[in-house]
Amino acid sequence: MRKLAAGNWKMNGTAAELAEVDALVASHGAPSVDILLCPPATLLSRMSDRAGDAIATGGQDCHANVSGAHTGDIAADMLVDAGAGYVILGHSERRTDHGETDAIVAAKSTAAYNAGLIAVICVGETEGQRDAGDTLNVIAAQLANSVPDAANGANTVIAYEPVWAIGTGRVPTLEQIAEVHDKMRADLVARFGETAKDMRLLYGGSVKPSNADEIFAIDNVDGALVGGASLKASDFSAIITALENA
Ligand code: 13P
């Protein structure tokens, strides 16, 4: 399995920030891990043109339908047309801001597969759910209901992003990350069999150059989904290098 360093630019970036991509291309010409950047949709085509072969690009969402009267939405085929190879689905910000349920995330993931995209399906507990001791049950239910039956190691990446760790500088303990990733692997193997051993399991939530080494040393952590630290080439580059050395 090739590990994956993924950056989620969220609602950040205009043409000027494409210089960060140029800097990444310059320093990671032949990476030993997969590199993915998911910019706002407005930058996707231009970023894809500049990212070359070493860096894949992805959308941050897609619609479940292939076309039609859905103002403001983007179909999976349109992401492919703009150069994307991946799409992030079910990010907690979309679950919260746009009321996306597990069923919606599963429908979008199926649309992504049909377009030939790799789905990066996000799961994660809130702070209240963790405090209540519900983390493993919440994650298991999100996986069971957000990941379609057609998932396999080639078309699906899972990102574990505790909601309370996103953009806060707070990170779970290494034991807490390991516990969730081990359980996710076990659940996925129980459901999908051997192919789930090749499914990349990313950790996301306040990953920085300063904590990447210890996070990447955890079993069943096959990379990261990075928000804020993916916006600057110097920070993201250090995280990529940490993953290459893990
Ligand atoms: P931060 O790395 O900024 O905490 O964001 C994580 C995230 O939500 C990536 O999808």
Side-chain angles (χ1 to χ4, degrees), residues 189 192-198:
V189 169
F192 296 105
E194 282 293 304
T195 190
K197 294 180 179 166
D198 295 328

mmCIF file of all heavy atoms in Angstrom, residues 189 192-198:
data_model
loop_
_atom_site.group_PDB
_atom_site.id
_atom_site.type_symbol
_atom_site.label_atom_id
_atom_site.label_comp_id
_atom_site.label_asym_id
_atom_site.label_seq_id
_atom_site.Cartn_x
_atom_site.Cartn_y
_atom_site.Cartn_z
ATOM 1 N N VAL A 189 -12.180 -4.873 7.688
ATOM 2 C CA VAL A 189 -11.785 -6.221 7.239
ATOM 3 C C VAL A 189 -12.934 -7.201 7.455
ATOM 4 O O VAL A 189 -13.199 -8.060 6.614
ATOM 5 C CB VAL A 189 -10.493 -6.668 7.950
ATOM 6 C CG1 VAL A 189 -10.225 -8.154 7.714
ATOM 7 C CG2 VAL A 189 -9.302 -5.835 7.481
ATOM 8 N N PHE A 192 -15.389 -6.153 4.501
ATOM 9 C CA PHE A 192 -14.948 -6.182 3.095
ATOM 10 C C PHE A 192 -13.905 -7.255 2.798
ATOM 11 O O PHE A 192 -13.587 -7.498 1.644
ATOM 12 C CB PHE A 192 -14.391 -4.817 2.682
ATOM 13 C CG PHE A 192 -15.410 -3.713 2.703
ATOM 14 C CD1 PHE A 192 -15.411 -2.771 3.717
ATOM 15 C CD2 PHE A 192 -16.379 -3.627 1.715
ATOM 16 C CE1 PHE A 192 -16.356 -1.751 3.743
ATOM 17 C CE2 PHE A 192 -17.336 -2.610 1.723
ATOM 18 C CZ PHE A 192 -17.317 -1.678 2.748
ATOM 19 N N GLY A 193 -13.334 -7.852 3.833
ATOM 20 C CA GLY A 193 -12.331 -8.883 3.621
ATOM 21 C C GLY A 193 -10.959 -8.308 3.304
ATOM 22 O O GLY A 193 -10.639 -7.180 3.699
ATOM 23 N N GLU A 194 -10.159 -9.100 2.580
ATOM 24 C CA GLU A 194 -8.749 -8.781 2.331
ATOM 25 C C GLU A 194 -8.529 -7.374 1.778
ATOM 26 O O GLU A 194 -7.556 -6.707 2.112
ATOM 27 C CB GLU A 194 -8.160 -9.797 1.337
ATOM 28 C CG GLU A 194 -7.824 -11.137 1.948
ATOM 29 C CD GLU A 194 -6.683 -11.038 2.950
ATOM 30 O OE1 GLU A 194 -5.596 -10.557 2.573
ATOM 31 O OE2 GLU A 194 -6.887 -11.427 4.113
ATOM 32 N N THR A 195 -9.419 -6.922 0.887
ATOM 33 C CA THR A 195 -9.203 -5.629 0.224
ATOM 34 C C THR A 195 -9.137 -4.486 1.231
ATOM 35 O O THR A 195 -8.497 -3.464 0.977
ATOM 36 C CB THR A 195 -10.294 -5.369 -0.837
ATOM 37 O OG1 THR A 195 -9.919 -4.227 -1.615
ATOM 38 C CG2 THR A 195 -11.667 -5.149 -0.201
ATOM 39 N N ALA A 196 -9.769 -4.676 2.388
ATOM 40 C CA ALA A 196 -9.771 -3.611 3.402
ATOM 41 C C ALA A 196 -8.396 -3.438 4.039
ATOM 42 O O ALA A 196 -8.135 -2.415 4.684
ATOM 43 C CB ALA A 196 -10.815 -3.885 4.467
ATOM 44 N N LYS A 197 -7.517 -4.427 3.857
ATOM 45 C CA LYS A 197 -6.155 -4.265 4.372
ATOM 46 C C LYS A 197 -5.371 -3.246 3.542
ATOM 47 O O LYS A 197 -4.368 -2.716 3.989
ATOM 48 C CB LYS A 197 -5.430 -5.611 4.396
ATOM 49 C CG LYS A 197 -6.065 -6.583 5.386
ATOM 50 C CD LYS A 197 -5.352 -7.919 5.426
ATOM 51 C CE LYS A 197 -6.031 -8.830 6.448
ATOM 52 N NZ LYS A 197 -5.623 -10.229 6.325
ATOM 53 N N ASP A 198 -5.845 -2.995 2.308
ATOM 54 C CA ASP A 198 -5.200 -2.014 1.425
ATOM 55 C C ASP A 198 -5.874 -0.643 1.473
ATOM 56 O O ASP A 198 -5.469 0.273 0.767
ATOM 57 C CB ASP A 198 -5.235 -2.494 -0.023
ATOM 58 C CG ASP A 198 -4.420 -3.747 -0.216
ATOM 59 O OD1 ASP A 198 -3.407 -3.905 0.495
ATOM 60 O OD2 ASP A 198 -4.793 -4.564 -1.072
#
